[in-house]
Amino acid sequence: GGGDSFMGGLIYGLIARPDDDQYALNFATAASCLKHTIKGDVNLVSIAEVENLMDGNASGRIAR
């Protein structure tokens, strides 16, 4: 789950911002971290939720 989410996030980040490798890496890391809050194999978070975590909102609360 977490590794798949990381790779999916990395692919998304590289496609969304092809000239910004750091964004892709940060997106992949945040997507993987959020996946660990969800039971099962599918990462059910939105792009906005991942970017919210990337922006530093690590309060421990997930808004869904």
Side-chain angles (χ1 to χ4, degrees):
D4 292 342
S5 294
F6 182 88
M7 287 309 300
L10 186 62
I11 292 167
Y12 168 80
L14 291 170
I15 291 171
R17 296 190 187 173
D19 296 330
D20 190 352
D21 292 343
Q22 189 63 53
Y23 172 85
L25 182 60
N26 292 346
F27 191 93
T29 303
S32 181
C33 288
L34 287 174
K35 170 58 189 96
H36 289 286
T37 69
I38 300 169
K39 185 176 181 177
D41 291 330
V42 180
N43 195 357
L44 301 173
V45 298
S46 68
I47 293 169
E49 288 174 309
V50 175
E51 289 179 337
N52 192 33
L53 180 59
M54 289 169 58
D55 288 338
N57 183 5
S59 65
R61 295 179 180 258
I62 305 298
R64 295 204 172 105

